[in-house]
């Protein structure tokens, strides 16, 4: 764990969306909290609008994954709630080798860390997607532009692929 002085940082769960297991923590940004409650409204309505659902989780994933300033260690990887369960371990390992690689060093040195200010959904398309042994005829391909509080040279455009996993849409690829 990461120590600052003698006080260990911990995060506390504030809310959860039942049946989907999306969690909200006290360390999440105000923008993220706003999106969480938007998502909760979408998922608790009598009919779930999948396109609105995928737009909001795309924003939430990107905001949580690429915002490093609120993380407590390189094991505190953002966006895991949205990742397809069977690729989650692989996703975490890859994150630790890439985006989260120097996080603990940067935290100790009090270096500037990225904070995602806004995520703009540029397009949402459906496509066929083959993953593991499953074909999803209605995979969502979401192109986003990422804006940061301060430009530190991190990615500003990504394409996310979400497939159906039970009642959820789950991230399977970031391009």
């Amino acid at each position: 764990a990461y120590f600052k002085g003698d006080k260990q940082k911990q995060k506390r769960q504030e809310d959860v969306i039942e049946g989907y297991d999306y969690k909200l923590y006290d360390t999440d940004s105000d923008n993220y909290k706003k999106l969480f409650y938007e998502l909760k409204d979408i998922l608790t309505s009598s009919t779930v609008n999948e396109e609105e659902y995928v737009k909001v989780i795309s924003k939430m994933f990107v905001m949580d994954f690429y915002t490093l300033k609120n993380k407590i260690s390189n094991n505190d990887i953002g966006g895991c709630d949205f990742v397809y369960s069977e690729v989650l371990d692989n996703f975490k390992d890859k994150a630790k080798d890439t985006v989260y690689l120097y996080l603990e060093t940067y935290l100790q040195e009090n270096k500037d860390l990225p904070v995602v200010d806004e995520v703009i959904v540029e397009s949402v398309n459906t496509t066929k997607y083959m993953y593991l042994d499953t074909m999803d005829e209605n995979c969502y391909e979401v192109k986003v532009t990422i804006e940061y509080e301060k430009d530190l040279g991190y990615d500003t455009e990504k394409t996310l692929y979400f497939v159906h996993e039970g009642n959820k849409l789950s991230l399977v690829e970031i391009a």
Side-chain angles (χ1 to χ4, degrees), residues 14 17 50 65 70 76 79 93 99 106 109 119 122 129 155:
E14 286 188 357
I17 300 175
E50 275 199 349
F65 184 73
N70 64 353
D76 183 16
D93 290 343
V99 178
Y106 287 178
E109 295 171 0
V119 182
E122 301 294 348
Y129 193 92
D155 292 326

Side-chain angles (χ1 to χ4, degrees), residues 14 24-39 56 59-60 63-64 67 70 115-118 149:
E14 286 188 357
L24 183 67
Y25 294 97
D26 58 349
T27 52
D28 291 325
S29 69
D30 289 342
N31 284 351
Y32 187 88
K33 288 177 182 179
K34 203 173 98 193
L35 288 169
F36 180 88
Y37 289 109
E38 246 179 76
L39 179 62
V56 175
K59 291 178 183 182
M60 291 173 74
M63 195 171 282
D64 198 18
T67 294
N70 64 353
V115 175
V116 175
D117 196 36
E118 193 176 351
E149 278 182 7

